[in-house]
Amino acid sequence: MTTIPDTAPAVVPNFDTDAGAGRKLAIICSKGSLDMAYPGLILANAALGEGVEVHMFFTFWGFDMINKKTMGDLKFTMLGNTATHMPQGLGGLPGMTGMATSRLKKSIADLDVPEVPEFLEQIVASGGHLWACRMSADMNKLTEADLYDDVEGIISATDFIELTDGAQLLFI
């Protein structure tokens, strides 16, 4: 059995290095729930800290992360999420989604991690690029005016693939 010493250093992005220069990371965000928003945001932030060029592509339900009407009110539900280790029937009771969302937001805030809109702002300020999916925009009848101001454009999947040629790809 391998143990990790308690004195292991925390992994903190270092924004003063060129170690990642020339590397690209493409993150496809396809989920719009609160718990699925943070993995992409955290990985983007970490990559930017390592000097990696980051492009985030928001598609399908991931559009909620950049839609001005929904981005500040993402929810977390226990339903279908066995990782909560709670009886699944509780998730369907009135008020449980609100309570679960509130608890998750508090846990995230306790770690000094910003809420989704502020995290997007931080990623853009660090040089990250935000792109919206053309098909998702058309399906939901959304335009650039409906989206977070720092989204650089609504592009097709083909455009995103060309833009991120040679990048590591994460699909969330």
Side-chain angles (χ1 to χ4, degrees):
M1 182 167 120
T2 303
T3 58
I4 299 172
D6 290 338
T7 58
V11 178
V12 176
N14 180 354
F15 291 94
D16 296 326
T17 180
D18 290 333
R23 292 178 57 198
K24 282 185 181 180
L25 177 63
I27 302 173
I28 299 172
C29 299
S30 68
K31 305 283 190 298
S33 60
L34 185 63
D35 58 319
M36 294 307 291
Y38 278 96
L41 298 172
I42 290 168
L43 289 166
N45 186 56
L48 288 164
E50 297 298 321
V52 176
E53 181 179 328
V54 173
H55 294 266
M56 300 182 78
F57 187 69
F58 299 89
T59 187
F60 281 81
W61 310 127
F63 239 69
D64 281 355
M65 293 173 63
I66 56 170
N67 183 332
K68 289 177 183 173
K69 290 182 180 172
T70 56
M71 62 189 296
D73 194 32
L74 301 182
K75 305 280 189 230
F76 171 62
T77 181
M78 298 169 36
L79 286 174
N81 187 345
T82 57
T84 61
H85 305 287
M86 300 287 288
Q88 287 298 295
L90 291 177
L93 295 175
M96 289 305 287
T97 295
M99 184 184 79
T101 298
S102 175
R103 291 190 62 173
L104 181 58
K105 281 186 173 185
K106 183 181 180 322
S107 295
I108 292 169
D110 287 349
L111 297 173
D112 291 326
V113 175
E115 293 205 17
V116 170
E118 290 77 26
F119 215 156
L120 288 169
E121 182 179 335
Q122 180 178 319
I123 286 168
V124 169
S126 299
H129 303 275
L130 310 178
W131 303 99
C133 171
R134 164 60 56 205
M135 182 178 163
S136 296
D138 291 347
M139 285 176 22
N140 293 297
K141 300 181 179 18
L142 296 172
T143 67
E144 289 187 17
D146 299 307
L147 304 178
Y148 177 64
D149 291 338
D150 286 325
V151 171
E152 293 182 39
I154 298 174
I155 62 175
S156 69
T158 302
D159 291 339
F160 185 71
I161 289 169
E162 289 180 16
L163 186 70
T164 58
D165 183 38
Q168 291 177 280
L169 176 67
L170 297 174
F171 185 89
I172 300 172

